[in-house]
Amino acid sequence: MAGELTAKVSLINGMEFSATADSGHIVKMDAADEFGGKNIGSRPMELVLIGLGGCTGMDVISMLRKMKQDISGFEINLKGKRAEDHPKVYKEIEIEFVVKGKNLSETSIAKAIKLSEEKYCSVGNMLNKTAKITTSYKIVEL
């Protein structure tokens, strides 16, 4: 099947898990102390938020490079608010893009973010089924 991905998640000890996917990289997950963990890995819902940042970040930086923007720094700040009751999905997510460089085009930045949001970012397009995702950006001229 086109687009098929595989992953394996294995219990290490207590609430500590090790995960690998097709890329072969290892991700460690664990629960907080109060949930039987030792706090030695990321929480699964943190990884979802991180995944969203990576997905949209790769889209936006790729488009800005194609638009010949002189980028010298790029960060994405994310804030997710989860439902009070189980399954405690994300209900609201704020994404702030911080783009640093010289002679940056606000029009190009806004266009790249919009294209990622509406067309390219698969993680965001999945999450927007349950969460209201808002984006903003800040330009830092160097």
Side-chain angles (χ1 to χ4, degrees), residues 69-84:
Q69 294 298 294
D70 187 5
I71 308 284
S72 57
F74 184 73
E75 296 174 352
I76 305 160
N77 300 307
L78 299 103
K79 185 188 304 182
K81 294 181 184 173
R82 295 174 62 191
E84 295 289 324

Side-chain angles (χ1 to χ4, degrees), residues 5 17 20 24-25 27 37 44-45 48 51 54 56-58 69 81 92 94 103 114-115 118 124 131:
L5 299 173
F17 287 82
T20 56
H25 299 288
V27 174
M45 289 300 281
V48 170
T56 191
M58 289 177 191
Q69 294 298 294
K81 294 181 184 173
E92 296 177 29
E94 298 173 15
N103 303 314
K114 184 175 181 172
L115 282 168
E118 293 179 358

Side-chain angles (χ1 to χ4, degrees), residues 7-44:
K8 181 177 181 178
V9 179
S10 304
L11 177 65
I12 303 300
N13 187 25
M15 293 296 283
E16 178 188 355
F17 287 82
S18 175
T20 56
D22 294 332
S23 65
H25 299 288
I26 298 170
V27 174
K28 214 171 231 204
M29 293 178 280
D30 198 8
D33 295 335
E34 64 263 27
F35 298 111
K38 294 181 181 164
N39 196 31
I40 57 174
S42 298
R43 311 293 181 268

Side-chain angles (χ1 to χ4, degrees), residues 38-70:
K38 294 181 181 164
N39 196 31
I40 57 174
S42 298
R43 311 293 181 268
M45 289 300 281
E46 290 175 333
L47 293 172
V48 170
L49 206 57
I50 290 168
L52 172 59
C55 184
T56 191
M58 289 177 191
D59 290 342
V60 171
I61 199 69
S62 175
M63 285 183 268
L64 291 175
R65 287 176 178 156
K66 287 176 185 171
M67 295 173 186
K68 306 291 189 215
Q69 294 298 294
D70 187 5

